Amino acid sequence: MTLVRISSALLTAWLCGFALGGPVSAHHSIQAQFDIHKTVTISGTVAKIEFINPHSYLTVNVKAADGKAQKWAFEMGGVGTLRKAGMSRADRGGLKPGDEVTVTALPARDDSNSGLLQELKIGDGRVFRFSTDPNGN
């Protein structure tokens, strides 16, 4: 009887580890998707903001040098990370479509109009920082 209980417990532990290990291994590396040695700064108007887990997203309409409109998409941290930076989920951080913003981000390695948001400046003067400088500040 004891051997059956031990085997059953080990099988249960293995199955739980296998089931929970999948989502962890599926998470992408920042360095694989974004160039951590460069930054891009763009200014435009908010098209959409999505406060969701595990990553939130900000879409910005930008007028290119040739006058044509471009959409830029920025990945942000989860809701908890945004809250820690001072943005609340209840009011979407005070952002709404049409708000003027300036974004500093790590650019995507595939040269698409996307990046990992590092700093967000809003037209009303607020600044949200989502990364640390080399000194940890």
Side-chain angles (χ1 to χ4, degrees), residues 104-128:
T104 302
L106 302 178
R109 288 190 174 275
D110 65 3
D111 292 326
S112 63
N113 290 347
S114 62
L116 179 64
L117 194 125
Q118 301 292 291
E119 182 179 271
L120 175 65
K121 294 179 183 178
I122 301 176
D124 65 8
R126 291 182 292 161
V127 177
F128 298 99

Side-chain angles (χ1 to χ4, degrees), residues 35-42 72 103-108 116 118-119 131:
D35 188 339
I36 63 168
H37 302 291
K38 296 179 184 176
T39 59
V40 60
T41 301
I42 63 106
W72 280 74
V103 173
T104 302
L106 302 178
L116 179 64
Q118 301 292 291
E119 182 179 271
S131 66

Side-chain angles (χ1 to χ4, degrees), residues 60-126:
V60 178
N61 291 325
V62 178
K63 189 177 282 188
D66 63 5
K68 294 182 180 177
Q70 296 179 335
K71 280 207 185 289
W72 280 74
F74 298 99
E75 183 174 316
M76 301 186 293
V79 176
T81 302
L82 299 179
R83 190 177 310 117
K84 185 177 178 182
M87 298 180 79
S88 80
R89 183 178 192 162
D91 69 354
R92 299 288 189 253
L95 292 176
K96 61 187 178 309
D99 285 351
E100 294 288 329
V101 294
T102 299
V103 173
T104 302
L106 302 178
R109 288 190 174 275
D110 65 3
D111 292 326
S112 63
N113 290 347
S114 62
L116 179 64
L117 194 125
Q118 301 292 291
E119 182 179 271
L120 175 65
K121 294 179 183 178
I122 301 176
D124 65 8
R126 291 182 292 161

Side-chain angles (χ1 to χ4, degrees), residues 12-26:
T12 301
W14 181 81
L15 286 173
C16 287
F18 182 76
L20 297 174
V24 172
S25 66

